[in-house]
Amino acid sequence: MGKRKVKKKNTRVIVALAFIFIVGILLTSFIYKPSNNQNYPVVAEVNKPAPDFTIYLIDGKKTKLSNFFGKQILLWFVATWCVSCQVGAKILSNYYSLLHSKGVVILTILLYNNMGIQGPSLEEFAMKFAGGFKPDWLYGETDESTMRIYNPNNFLDIFYFISKNGIIVYKGVVMSEDKLNYILSLVD
């Protein structure tokens, strides 16, 4: 008879815990309502509007991504110590004149805190690997929350091509000639 009491008591405890768990889930679903605010997407996605963010340009000015809507944008996030980023900057430099002639703005943004690893400054990166500063090729930084939106997987070299109306039309990792040729095929 002692075993039956223990078994009955254990069953009651399990049922009570299950009840509390279910009630907790139901209450949470009524109390917590995810925001439907389109200005705070979980992640930047192809065929969706590019989430706006603040860019702190290396010349000390502050701007927003949306200030460039109306132009096509190559948005490239880099770590200055990253070898593929350094090589990508040289490749992109070779394509700069063609992209610039088609009205494409290049925004090179330092990954938040350079991914925690010391490397050349963004200015040194531009001078050494991209051939210096050029019109409509801007360099800047942003905050950590932007990185969660545009680079949730912590790639060292990730880029987006954004249409004139602010829609992301292409996303890639590791800048290359093949990917730049594809981007050129998307240019209006």
Side-chain angles (χ1 to χ4, degrees):
M1 190 107 107
K3 286 185 180 181
R4 246 186 216 193
K5 272 189 171 180
V6 170
K7 191 174 184 181
K8 216 176 199 183
K9 191 174 182 179
N10 286 344
T11 303
R12 286 184 186 158
V13 168
I14 291 171
V15 168
L17 288 173
F19 178 76
I20 291 169
F21 179 74
I22 291 170
V23 168
I25 289 175
L26 290 173
L27 285 175
T28 302
S29 68
F30 287 109
I31 294 169
Y32 174 73
K33 299 267 188 209
S35 172
N36 289 332
N37 184 351
Q38 294 179 354
N39 294 327
Y40 189 75
V42 174
V43 65
E45 296 180 49
V46 173
N47 297 322
K48 301 273 173 124
D52 202 10
F53 65 94
T54 300
I55 304 167
Y56 303 93
L57 298 171
I58 60 174
D59 65 4
K61 295 178 185 169
K62 184 169 108 172
T63 189
K64 291 190 155 291
L65 178 66
S66 59
N67 291 340
F68 299 96
F69 292 172
K71 297 182 177 188
Q72 296 169 105
I73 305 162
L74 179 56
L75 176 62
W76 185 30
F77 294 95
V78 301
T80 61
W81 53 266
C82 162
V83 174
S84 70
C85 299
Q86 295 167 356
V87 171
K90 290 177 182 179
I91 294 169
L92 187 53
S93 182
N94 293 334
Y95 280 75
Y96 167 78
S97 294
L98 187 55
L99 290 165
H100 182 67
S101 72
K102 295 181 178 283
V104 175
V105 173
I106 302 168
L107 299 175
T108 301
I109 308 298
L110 183 67
L111 290 168
Y112 180 73
N113 199 26
N114 215 17
M115 300 291 284
I117 298 175
Q118 189 172 1
S121 69
L122 204 48
E123 294 89 345
E124 292 169 327
F125 179 85
M127 296 302 291
K128 185 172 182 180
F129 302 107
F133 298 100
K134 301 169 180 147
D136 289 330
W137 187 345
L138 305 172
Y139 296 85
E141 298 183 31
T142 191
D143 57 33
E144 187 176 10
S145 63
T146 301
M147 291 299 94
R148 285 192 294 265
I149 294 169
Y150 279 93
N151 192 19
N153 296 315
N154 294 320
F155 292 114
L156 298 177
D157 183 350
I158 185 168
F159 56 96
Y160 295 83
F161 188 65
I162 302 169
S163 69
K164 289 179 181 177
N165 59 356
I167 303 297
I168 297 170
V169 294
Y170 181 73
K171 174 184 175 181
V173 292
V174 184
M175 189 70 69
S176 70
E177 288 185 15
D178 289 342
K179 291 173 186 169
L180 283 168
N181 285 325
Y182 180 73
I183 287 171
L184 281 168
S185 76
L186 300 174
V187 173
D188 291 341

